[in-house]
Amino acid sequence: MLRRRFRTSPRNCRKRPARSWPGLPPAPAAASRPSSYPEVLAVRVLSPYYGNTIYTVSSVISVILLALSGMALFHPSLYFLTNLFGGGQMTRAVHPGIGVVLFFSFLGLFFRFFALNLWNRDDTVWMKNRGAVINDREEGLPELGKYNAGQKLVFWGQSILILLLFGSGLVLWDVYFEAFTTIDQKRLSAVVHALCAIGAILIWIVHVYAAIWVKGTLRAMTRGSVTRRASKI
């Protein structure tokens, strides 16, 4: 939570009498301040690190472009998607480059959030009672930290898949690595790359659905404002 302090001129500040409530003792007098200007504290919850937004937006855009270009290269029935990138040759050329952008943009998110996504006992209890959580019956469940077990599974699943996609993609990138790989390695990498891409797309769909389903998520992502309880986590 980011706090900003504003100072106002004495002539613009009017001293209000302390308000008393029935049955309660009067409020104590405010402590004197060394400065001659009264200080007004304005609190607004903002995103504490704008790099999160940069990494997230670049990762989302990269995933969408990679999914479209990858599906165009995956099956002939989806070849029409190459028109979005200027044809088949251009699609084949830009797809690996976008993959590099995704890897490093997600790497920034990984180092930023991996400590908050470490598994603990409360996450195991949460997973055993996931049916109650889905039905909005969370009474008796342990208090969670910043992320719940489902969000942690998305984080680690996407992290592993992106790492595998990056490694297998390098093997298939003949422009730079053809001399360092064999045909058998390329065949294996093609299968791994395709399976990991399908898994990453499915996880991304679940992630987008959860962002829409959880109230306040889109507001926090776009404007950086969250509830006061969430700002203390």
Side-chain angles (χ1 to χ4, degrees), residues 181-193:
T181 57
T182 64
I183 187 64
D184 292 332
Q185 292 173 342
K186 295 181 187 299
R187 290 170 179 170
L188 178 60
S189 296
V191 175
V192 173
H193 198 79

Side-chain angles (χ1 to χ4, degrees), residues 103 161-173 189 192-193:
F103 177 78
L161 290 175
I162 288 178
L163 180 61
L164 292 174
L165 285 168
F166 183 73
S168 58
L170 292 180
V171 177
L172 298 172
W173 203 354
S189 296
V192 173
H193 198 79

Side-chain angles (χ1 to χ4, degrees), residues 75-182:
H75 197 272
S77 62
L78 301 173
Y79 187 77
F80 68 92
L81 293 173
T82 58
N83 295 323
L84 299 173
F85 302 91
Q89 293 296 329
M90 185 60 67
T91 303
R92 182 66 183 87
V94 302
H95 183 78
I98 301 174
V100 174
V101 174
L102 173 63
F103 177 78
F104 286 103
S105 61
F106 191 84
L107 192 65
L109 291 174
F110 179 83
F111 286 120
R112 178 69 178 171
F113 295 113
F114 86 96
L116 297 172
N117 285 275
L118 296 176
W119 198 266
N120 54 49
R121 291 183 178 179
D122 294 339
D123 297 319
T124 303
V125 175
W126 193 90
M127 286 298 297
K128 291 180 179 179
N129 296 273
R130 56 187 178 275
V133 175
I134 294 176
N135 294 317
D136 199 19
R137 292 184 284 104
E138 302 184 13
E139 296 81 5
L141 294 178
E143 188 72 20
L144 297 176
K146 188 174 181 65
Y147 300 111
N148 59 41
Q151 293 169 318
K152 291 180 180 180
L153 289 176
V154 169
F155 175 84
W156 289 109
Q158 202 75 313
S159 299
I160 294 172
L161 290 175
I162 288 178
L163 180 61
L164 292 174
L165 285 168
F166 183 73
S168 58
L170 292 180
V171 177
L172 298 172
W173 203 354
D174 289 341
V175 177
Y176 298 105
F177 303 101
E178 181 180 9
F180 304 98
T181 57
T182 64

